[in-house]
C-alpha cells in the first residue's frame, strides 16, 4: 500500500492561512489503512485546526468528508455538489489522490495535509516499512525477492558495497544490508548464480511520467 | 599496455608497487595540494586523489589530480558513483584523460548520510561494477555506454576497491571475480589490520586464479593513536581491527604510540612483499602525508623503480 504521514501541524496551519472556510477530504483506502488520512484522522486534524485558529483569534469553519478512494473519479463525484461552498480543499490522500482532486476542481486551491512517503508494508500496528520504489523493471526474480532499489541505501545492483558489516548497512547498524540478505536467501535456495553475473546499468524508466494502457483497452477518456 | 601509466608499467614489470593517497582540501588553496604532493613525490608510484571522501565536499578530484601532475606525481583519479550520473561520469573521464590522467579508481562512494550534506540526493545511477565496465568499454571498444563512438578513446588503467573484511566473507572473493569480469586491471584493498583474515582472502583469490588476472595492492593505514584505532574498530563501516592491534598500541611507551603504529604498518608491508598474489601496497596515510617519506624508507620501499 501507499504510506503517507501527516505534515507537521505548523506547515498545515500556514498552508491554510487566510482561508475561512475549508473542506478537509480524507481517503478511505491506503492512507486510512496506514492511519494517516482516513475518517478518524480527518476529524482529529479538524479539531486541532479549529482549536488553534480559535486561540489565534482567527476562527475557521472546517468540515470533513472522507471518500472511498480519492484516486478514482467515480468516488470523487460525491464531492461535486459540495466543493463550491468552500474557499479551499485540504486533502489527506496520497499525492495521486490530491492531484486528482486538484484536477477535478481546478478553480479551488487544493492543499496537501500529508506527505506521501512510500510504497510499503505493515510490520506492526502503526509501523510501516518501504518495500518498493515502483522502478518499472522489477528485479525481485533474481534478488531472492528482496528489493535492492529500495532496501539498499545506495540502490546497488551488484552489491554488497564495502560498507556492509555483520549484516548491517553502513548507514545504520539497525538497518539490515539488503545485499547481505539477498546473498543469504539465494544461498539457502542454491541460487547464488543469480548474482554472479554482472547486472547491466538500469534503464531508469521512472525518469519520465509513466503511463500504462493495458493491451486491449483504448486510451482512457480525455479529461475535462 | 592498456594505458601506459607509470603504475601499469611498474606492475607489468613485476615490481612491488607502492601507491599513496592525497585528500584534496576543503577549499581552493592549490598550495595545500602542492605541499602534500611534495611529501609523496619520489616515494610512491602513483597517488590516489580522493573524490569527496566520506561524502564531504572537497576540491574536485580531477582538479587536484591535475595539480599533482604539475608537481610531478602520477595521480590515480578516484571517482564515486554517489555524486554523478553516467553522462557526467563519462564527460569527466574524457576531460581527465585529455589533461593527462591515466589511472582511475572506480568506487560506489560512502553514503551521503556520513558527510556534510546528509540530505543530498544520492545519484548511484550506475554502480562501481558498471562504472568499471563503462571505462573498459570506452577504452577498449572506443564506445560510450550508449554505444556511440568516441573519437579518441581514453586509455585508462582501471582500478577498483575491495574490502576483504565485510560480510558475507565468502562473497568477497566472488565480488572480486565480478569486478575482474567487469574489466578491472588493479585492486586496492580496504585498510588491512586483520592479517589472518586477509591471508584467507588472498588464498581464496589465488585458488580461484583471480590474482593472475588482476594486480592486488594491499591497503595499509598506520594507526596514529589508540583513539584512532578504537574509532576505526567501532565507527568505520566494514573495518576489522583486531584487539591485538589495540593492545599493542596501548602497550607502547608514552609518546611512542604513533611510532608503534608505523612499526606495525611496516611489518605488514614486509609480509605483503612475500605474499603470493599481492602485487603491491596502497598506503593511506590519512592527513599524515608528511610521514610518507619516513614510512616508505622504513618499509624498504625506496628508491622507487624507474620504468620506461
Ligand atoms: S525492483 Fe524494487 S522498486 Fe523495482 S519494482 Fe521491484 S520491488 Fe519495486
Ligand atoms: S551496506 Fe548493503 S544495503 Fe547498505 S549500501 Fe552497502 S550494499 Fe547497500
Amino acid at each position: 500500500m501507499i504510506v503517507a504521514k501527516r505534515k507537521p501541524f505548523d506547515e498545515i496551519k500556514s498552508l491554510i492561512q487566510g482561508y475561512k472556510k475549508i473542506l478537509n477530504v480524507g481517503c478511505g483506502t491506503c492512507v486510512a489503512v496506514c492511519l494517516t488520512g482516513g475518517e478518524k484522522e480527518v476529524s482529529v486534524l479538524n479539531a486541532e485546526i479549529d482549536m488553534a485558529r480559535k486561540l489565534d483569534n482567527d476562527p475557521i469553519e472546517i468540515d470533513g468528508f472522507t471518500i472511498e478512494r480519492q484516486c478514482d473519479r467515480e468516488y470523487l463525484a460525491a464531492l461535486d455538489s459540495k466543493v463550491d461552498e468552500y474557499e479551499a480543499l485540504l486533502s489527506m490522500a496520497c499525492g495521486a489522490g490530491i492531484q486528482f482532486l486538484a484536477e477535478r476542481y481546478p478553480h479551488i486551491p487544493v492543499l496537501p495535509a500529508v506527505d506521501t512517503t512510500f510504497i510499503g508494508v505493515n510490520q506492526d500496528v502503526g509501523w510501516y516499512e518501504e518495500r518498493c520504489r515502483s522502478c518499472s523493471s522489477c528485479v525481485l526474480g533474481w534478488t531472492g525477492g528482496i528489493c535492492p532499489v529500495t532496501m539498499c541505501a545506495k540502490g546497488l545492483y551488484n552489491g554488497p558495497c564495502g560498507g556492509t558489516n555483520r549484516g548491517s548497512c553502513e548507514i545504520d547498524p539497525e538497518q539490515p544490508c539488503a545485499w547481505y540478505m539477498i546473498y543469504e536467501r539465494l544461498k539457502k535456495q542454491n541460487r547464488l548464480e543469480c548474482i554472479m553475473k554482472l547486472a547491466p546499468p538500469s534503464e531508469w524508466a521512472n525518469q519520465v511520467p509513466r503511463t500504462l494502457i493495458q493491451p486491449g483497452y483504448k486510451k482512457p477518456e480525455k479529461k475535462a | 599496455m592498456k594505458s601506459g601509466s607509470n603504475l601499469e608499467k611498474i606492475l607489468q614489470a613485476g615490481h612491488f608497487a607502492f601507491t599513496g593517497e592525497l585528500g584534496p582540501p576543503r577549499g581552493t588553496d592549490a598550495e595545500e595540494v602542492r605541499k602534500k604532493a611534495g611529501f609523496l613525490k619520489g616515494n610512491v608510484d602513483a597517488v590516489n586523489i580522493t573524490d569527496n571522501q566520506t561524502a564531504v565536499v572537497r576540491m574536485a578530484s580531477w582538479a587536484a589530480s591535475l595539480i599533482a601532475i604539475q608537481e610531478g606525481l602520477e595521480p590515480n583519479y578516484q571517482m564515486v558513483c554517489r555524486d554523478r550520473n553516467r553522462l557526467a561520469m563519462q564527460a569527466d573521464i574524457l576531460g581527465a584523460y585529455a589533461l593527462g590522467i591515466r589511472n582511475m579508481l572506480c568506487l560506489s562512494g560512502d553514503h551521503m548520510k556520513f558527510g556534510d550534506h546528509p540530505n543530498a540526493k544520492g545519484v548511484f545511477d550506475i554502480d562501481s561494477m558498471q562504472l568499471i565496465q563503462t571505462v573498459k568499454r570506452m577504452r577498449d571498444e572506443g564506445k560510450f555506454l550508449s554505444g556511440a563512438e568516441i573519437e579518441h578513446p581514453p586509455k585508462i588503467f582501471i582500478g577498483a576497491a575491495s574490502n576483504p573484511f565485510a560480510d558475507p566473507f565468502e562473497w568477497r572473493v566472488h565480488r572480486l571475480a565480478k569486478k575482474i569480469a567487469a574489466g578491472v586491471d588493479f585492486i586496492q584493498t580496504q585498510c588491512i589490520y586483520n592479517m589472518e583474515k586477509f591471508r584467507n582472502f588472498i588464498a581464496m583469490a589465488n585458488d580461484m586464479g583471480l590474482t593472475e588476472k588482476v594486480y592486488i595492492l594491499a591497503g595499509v593505514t598506520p594507526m596514529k593513536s589508540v583513539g584512532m584505532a578504537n574509532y576505526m574498530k567501532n565507527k568505520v563501516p566494514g573495518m576489522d581491527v583486531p584487539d591485538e592491534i589495540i593492545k599493542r598500541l596501548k602497550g607502547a611507551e608514552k609518546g611512542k604510540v604513533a611510532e608503534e603504529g608505523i612499526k606495525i604498518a611496516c611489518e605488514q608491508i614486509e609480509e605483503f612483499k612475500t605474499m603470493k598474489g599481492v602485487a603491491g601496497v596502497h598506503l593511506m596515510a590519512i592527513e599524515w602525508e608528511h610521514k610518507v617519506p619516513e614510512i616508505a624508507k622504513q618499509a624498504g620501499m625506496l628508491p622507487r623503480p624507474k620504468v620506461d
Side-chain angles (χ1 to χ4, degrees):
Chain A
M1 78 178 139
I2 295 171
V3 179
K5 65 168 191 271
R6 205 176 89 178
K7 276 188 178 292
F9 186 69
D10 286 343
E11 190 183 339
I12 299 175
K13 222 177 120 192
S14 73
L15 276 169
I16 59 169
Q17 203 180 12
Y19 297 112
K20 298 282 185 203
K21 189 173 183 196
I22 64 174
L23 178 66
N24 185 0
V25 189
C27 175
T29 310
C30 307
V31 290
V33 180
C34 71
L35 313 175
T36 299
E39 202 167 341
K40 185 169 149 238
E41 292 78 26
V42 167
S43 45
V44 170
L45 177 60
N46 285 3
E48 282 179 55
I49 292 174
D50 184 58
M51 205 177 327
R53 290 282 288 258
K54 270 189 193 133
L55 283 175
D56 289 351
N57 248 335
D58 179 20
I60 184 171
E61 209 180 303
I62 184 162
D63 297 327
F65 191 79
T66 299
I67 56 180
E68 192 67 31
R69 252 203 305 286
Q70 230 176 93
C71 60
D72 199 326
R73 285 208 176 84
E74 204 180 309
Y75 296 103
L76 276 180
L79 287 170
D80 288 356
S81 59
K82 296 188 198 313
V83 293
D84 284 330
E85 295 165 32
Y86 299 93
E87 294 167 24
L89 303 176
L90 196 60
S91 169
M92 297 192 83
C94 77
I98 303 171
Q99 290 190 44
F100 226 28
L101 197 62
E103 199 172 284
R104 191 169 182 101
Y105 310 111
H107 54 292
I108 303 173
V110 174
L111 313 164
V114 307
D115 287 317
T116 303
T117 309
F118 52 71
I119 301 177
V121 295
N122 198 339
Q123 287 290 35
D124 202 340
V125 185
W127 167 10
Y128 308 93
E129 263 176 27
E130 183 175 22
R131 283 302 164 86
C132 174
R133 290 210 180 141
S134 60
C135 77
S136 273
S137 74
C138 195
V139 298
L140 293 176
W142 56 267
T143 58
I146 294 162
C147 172
V149 181
T150 313
M151 311 266 287
C152 164
K154 298 175 189 168
L156 303 178
Y157 285 87
N158 287 290
C161 75
T164 172
N165 216 351
R166 288 181 276 276
S168 295
C169 174
E170 68 172 34
I171 58 157
D172 183 354
E174 299 297 315
Q175 174 67 38
C177 165
W179 275 97
Y180 184 89
M181 294 193 291
I182 291 171
Y183 174 84
E184 292 292 317
R185 189 171 294 169
L186 290 173
K187 192 165 110 180
K188 274 203 194 100
Q189 298 177 354
N190 257 323
R191 286 170 71 215
L192 274 181
E193 76 281 356
C194 288
I195 49 169
M196 292 290 190
K197 358 178 238 319
L198 279 164
S202 172
E203 297 171 20
W204 296 111
N206 58 356
Q207 300 303 294
V208 292
R210 289 165 288 179
T211 305
L212 165 74
I213 302 169
Q214 299 291 15
Y217 287 81
K218 279 205 318 241
K219 222 177 156 71
E221 234 176 273
K222 272 258 181 287
K223 295 149 224 148
Chain B
M1 217 31 89
K2 289 165 171 164
S3 68
S5 75
N6 183 53
L7 181 61
E8 182 180 10
K9 286 181 194 158
I10 293 270
L11 287 164
Q12 213 179 52
H15 295 297
F16 194 72
F18 194 44
T19 55
E21 191 160 287
L22 189 160
R26 301 208 61 202
T28 57
D29 189 7
E31 267 322 300
E32 226 180 287
V33 182
R34 293 187 205 286
K35 196 165 156 220
K36 285 179 172 180
F39 298 122
L40 292 153
K41 194 182 169 185
N43 295 316
V44 292
D45 304 317
V47 53
N48 284 37
I49 312 290
T50 54
D51 180 14
N52 286 346
Q53 196 179 0
T54 59
V56 168
V57 177
R58 291 168 181 275
M59 182 186 288
S61 172
W62 62 261
S65 293
L66 290 188
I67 301 173
I69 292 177
Q70 291 168 359
E71 294 304 298
L73 271 176
E74 177 170 283
N76 180 18
Y77 170 39
Q78 295 196 183
M79 186 185 275
V80 298
C81 300
R82 179 193 59 230
D83 302 339
R84 37 180 91 63
N85 73 1
R86 60 190 87 176
L87 278 88
M89 285 175 147
Q90 293 179 93
D92 281 354
I93 292 166
L94 295 182
Y97 181 78
L99 293 165
I101 291 168
R102 294 295 177 266
N103 309 301
M104 211 185 123
L105 196 77
C106 307
L107 304 166
S108 306
D110 295 315
H111 197 272
M112 40 289 166
K113 203 190 142 187
F114 297 106
D116 60 347
H117 292 73
N119 296 321
K121 182 181 198 303
V123 181
F124 301 109
D125 176 21
I126 56 176
D127 61 26
S128 59
M129 206 72 82
Q130 295 157 349
L131 177 57
I132 296 168
Q133 233 178 353
T134 305
V135 188
K136 184 180 162 66
R137 182 151 201 221
M138 291 173 80
R139 180 187 70 194
D140 296 348
E141 297 172 37
K143 287 193 168 124
F144 290 112
L145 197 50
S146 64
E149 298 276 334
I150 301 174
E151 261 169 52
H152 296 276
K155 299 294 179 197
I156 302 258
F157 196 46
I158 310 169
S162 169
N163 182 355
F165 307 105
D167 296 317
F169 183 63
E170 320 93 89
W171 179 248
R172 288 295 143 188
V173 215
H174 293 304
R175 201 162 141 78
L176 176 61
K178 260 178 105 162
K179 285 191 175 169
I180 294 169
V184 80
D185 301 308
F186 70 100
I187 291 284
Q188 291 170 321
T189 79
Q190 167 79 288
C191 328
I192 299 162
Y193 296 106
N194 187 336
M195 292 296 277
E196 184 66 47
K197 214 165 178 181
F198 183 70
R199 277 181 215 116
N200 276 337
F201 173 81
I202 210 80
M204 280 162 83
N206 280 329
D207 287 346
M208 286 171 68
L210 299 179
T211 50
E212 281 153 35
K213 297 185 192 145
V214 74
Y215 300 108
I216 297 181
L217 276 59
V220 172
T221 293
M223 295 285 194
K224 294 182 212 178
S225 63
V226 178
M228 172 179 175
N230 279 323
Y231 180 82
M232 293 261 219
K233 183 184 171 76
N234 302 317
K235 290 272 153 49
V236 183
M239 195 73 83
D240 183 342
V241 183
D243 290 330
E244 307 96 78
I245 298 272
I246 295 176
K247 232 164 93 193
R248 228 180 114 176
L249 292 170
K250 273 190 181 153
E253 268 177 63
K254 230 178 155 219
K256 297 240 160 116
V257 181
E259 211 171 286
E260 188 67 21
I262 292 177
K263 207 168 146 220
I264 298 173
C266 292
E267 287 167 22
Q268 286 183 305
I269 296 174
E270 284 308 326
E271 186 175 346
F272 293 138
K273 283 185 195 164
T274 61
M275 221 183 251
K276 182 176 174 257
V278 177
V281 161
H282 176 50
L283 179 71
M284 293 164 271
I286 310 156
E287 294 305 318
W288 225 18
E289 285 86 352
H290 61 281
K291 286 279 187 189
V292 172
E294 178 188 332
I295 300 167
K297 186 156 169 260
Q298 203 175 320
M301 296 303 255
L302 298 179
R304 296 310 305 150
K306 294 247 178 304
V307 284
D308 286 309

